[in-house]
């Protein structure tokens, strides 16, 4: 029996549509290593990782010796970018999102591959003092010259995690991991950024990281005033399911 043909009938759909990060407003950046169409590489060495947000903020690395590797490692059966003292440079158009009193929330799916006392995997600014990092059992979201930043006590291990940070318009900083939000820290000294890296800071070999990078999302908003909320939970649920994070 044929239904709904030429009768103007809308048949119900079973199930629900899969979540997409772009369904949440104010998405600024979406890098997804599982999507091979977004990765430009030569023999596995990645020179460009294209932004799926629609904003065109593609991450690039023209220097061969600093390029991450695609096609060698996976998380939950999905491709990731392997970085061993490598980095990707984000474009200047993103700098304004991290300026003074600018709200943002960042999610980074990554996996440490060796025990690292200090793992600094996202850098802002020309001096590398603004970053999201792990050290001595603490995840920090730092900005400016602060030695503190928003912090969250964690167990450092070799499992994949969703890490990142929230910055509120009042310059309160929070660190986040796997949906847990740490305590805030007021950082009034935030300045305009001049450089931005995924991975090791460009000139600091002592801060080299050995990491798999899976997916990165940046939103130009502070979810529920830094307290999480439905959109925050939706992003975490999507990333946990996709990358097999418990």
């Amino acid at each position: 029996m044929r239904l709904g043909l030429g009768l103007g009938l809308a048949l119900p759909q079973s199930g629900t549509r899969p979540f997409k990060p772009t369904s949440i407003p104010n998405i600024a950046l979406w890098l997804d290593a599982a999507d091979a169409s977004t990765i430009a590489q030569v023999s596995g060495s990645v020179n460009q990782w294209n932004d799926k947000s629609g904003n065109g903020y593609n991450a690039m690395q023209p220097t061969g010796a600093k390029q991450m590797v695609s096609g060698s490692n996976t998380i939950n059966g999905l491709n990731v970018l392997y970085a061993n003292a490598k980095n990707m440079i984000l474009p200047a158009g993103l700098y304004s999102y991290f300026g003074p009193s600018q709200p943002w929330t960042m999610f980074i799916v990554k996996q440490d591959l060796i025990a690292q006392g200090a793992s600094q995997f996202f850098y802002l600014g020309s001096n590398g003092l603004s970053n999201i990092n792990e050290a001595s059992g603490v995840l920090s979201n730092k900005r400016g010259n602060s030695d503190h930043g928003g912090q969250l006590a964690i167990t450092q291990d070799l499992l994949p995690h969703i890490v990142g940070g929230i910055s509120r318009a009042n310059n309160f900083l929070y660190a986040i991991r796997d949906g847990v939000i740490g305590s805030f820290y007021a950082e009034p000294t935030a300045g305009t950024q001049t450089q931005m890296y995924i991975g090791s800071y460009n000139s600091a070999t002592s801060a080299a990281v050995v990491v798999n990078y899976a997916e990165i999302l940046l939103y130009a908003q502070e979810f529920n005033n830094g307290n999480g909320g439905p959109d925050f939970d939706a992003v975490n649920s999507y990333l946990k399911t996709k990358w097999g994070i418990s």
Side-chain angles (χ1 to χ4, degrees):
M1 183 171 63
R2 301 170 68 187
L3 298 175
L5 296 180
L7 300 179
L9 301 178
L11 300 180
Q13 296 181 357
S14 61
T16 58
R17 294 182 180 180
F19 173 84
K20 291 186 67 175
T22 48
S23 66
I24 294 178
N26 301 314
I27 187 169
L29 177 71
W30 179 14
L31 301 175
D32 180 7
D35 186 347
S37 69
T38 67
I39 298 172
Q41 51 88 19
V42 177
S43 299
S45 296
V46 178
N47 55 68
Q48 187 161 310
W49 192 6
N50 290 330
D51 175 18
K52 295 174 64 174
S53 73
N55 295 318
Y57 294 135
N58 304 329
M60 294 175 285
Q61 181 50 268
T63 303
K66 297 179 181 180
Q67 291 175 349
M68 298 182 187
V69 175
S70 179
S72 63
N73 291 5
T74 63
I75 296 176
N76 203 32
L78 301 174
N79 183 63
V80 296
L81 299 191
Y82 166 63
N84 184 349
K86 314 296 184 184
N87 64 34
M88 301 287 288
I89 304 168
L90 289 164
L94 275 173
Y95 298 172
S96 61
Y97 290 94
F98 294 90
S101 303
Q102 294 299 311
W104 54 264
T105 304
M106 174 170 270
F107 304 85
I108 302 171
V109 179
K110 63 94 182 179
Q111 177 186 23
D112 287 359
L113 297 178
I114 62 172
Q116 302 174 114
S119 176
Q120 300 171 329
F121 41 85
F122 181 76
Y123 279 93
L124 299 168
S126 58
N127 57 12
L129 293 177
S130 299
N131 57 68
I132 299 173
N133 74 82
E134 296 171 353
S136 302
V138 176
L139 174 69
S140 299
N141 174 19
K142 296 170 55 179
R143 190 168 57 188
N145 294 319
S146 168
D147 289 328
H148 190 284
Q151 295 188 339
L152 175 65
I154 61 170
T155 298
Q156 291 178 256
D157 54 39
L158 304 185
L159 299 173
H161 291 284
I162 306 163
V163 299
I166 298 173
S167 176
R168 296 184 59 189
N170 60 6
N171 291 320
F172 282 10
L173 300 178
Y174 302 77
I176 59 176
R177 188 167 94 154
D178 299 339
V180 178
I181 303 174
S183 58
F184 75 86
Y185 183 77
E187 178 50 79
T189 62
T192 301
Q193 307 304 327
T194 57
Q195 295 179 38
M196 194 177 301
Y197 303 102
I198 304 164
S200 299
Y201 180 54
N202 214 27
S203 61
T205 55
S206 61
V209 293
V210 184
V211 169
N212 284 330
Y213 287 97
E215 192 159 356
I216 298 174
L217 293 165
L218 173 66
Y219 291 90
Q221 62 166 300
E222 46 182 277
F223 288 112
N224 191 26
N225 298 321
N227 295 312
D231 287 344
F232 180 83
D233 293 341
V235 173
N236 277 287
S237 177
Y238 155 77
L239 293 173
K240 285 182 177 181
T241 300
K242 179 175 178 178
W243 297 103
I245 297 170
S246 59

